Amino acid sequence: RAVSGGESCRAVAARFGVAVSSVVKWSQRWRSTGSVAPGKMGGHRKRTLEPHRAFIEERIRQTPHLTLHKLKDELAARGVIVSHNAVWMFLRREGLRFKKNAVRP
């Protein structure tokens, strides 16, 4: 209210003992939403690899020595861009086995 009443963000910050950046963000939020209430934090993210479980299981069954990086590359070729860690966590969570190291001829 102080900012919308004409006070500067610096003056309001000094008066209430908060950072200028906080006053700026609150006034921006007020102008855009009409409220200074914080937005939602956190939440549940859908697991990216869940819809591809059958493909991943089939690839592991077909190629038992498949590496995480190779599986990640095969998923990327199908348009599923995920990190190495995402593949690892998915396999671990689902109890799927895989070969850690590439097979050397």
Side-chain angles (χ1 to χ4, degrees):
R1 291 180 193 189
V3 173
S4 62
E7 282 188 66
S8 71
C9 288
R10 287 186 189 279
V12 172
R15 186 167 101 183
F16 293 108
V18 296
V20 176
S21 62
S22 294
V23 176
V24 169
K25 289 176 186 175
W26 290 332
S27 62
Q28 288 172 340
R29 190 176 300 140
W30 176 261
R31 284 193 303 271
S32 66
T33 66
S35 171
V36 293
K40 283 180 63 175
M41 289 181 62
H44 180 72
R45 262 185 88 193
K46 280 177 43 178
R47 293 182 175 156
T48 307
L49 293 175
E50 197 64 43
H52 306 281
R53 188 180 206 291
F55 169 76
I56 293 169
E57 285 180 328
E58 182 61 27
R59 288 301 298 133
I60 291 171
R61 193 171 15 264
Q62 289 175 350
T63 314
H65 60 274
L66 190 64
T67 64
L68 287 175
H69 289 290
K70 180 67 175 158
L71 182 56
K72 180 178 81 98
D73 293 342
E74 288 184 16
L75 287 163
R78 294 171 55 100
V80 183
I81 308 301
V82 292
S83 69
H84 175 269
N85 189 56
V87 175
W88 161 249
M89 294 299 289
F90 178 80
L91 292 174
R92 188 171 177 208
R93 183 175 51 250
E94 299 296 322
L96 299 172
R97 295 183 169 261
F98 63 97
K99 178 82 174 170
K100 285 185 182 179
N101 301 316
V103 175
R104 305 215 188 266

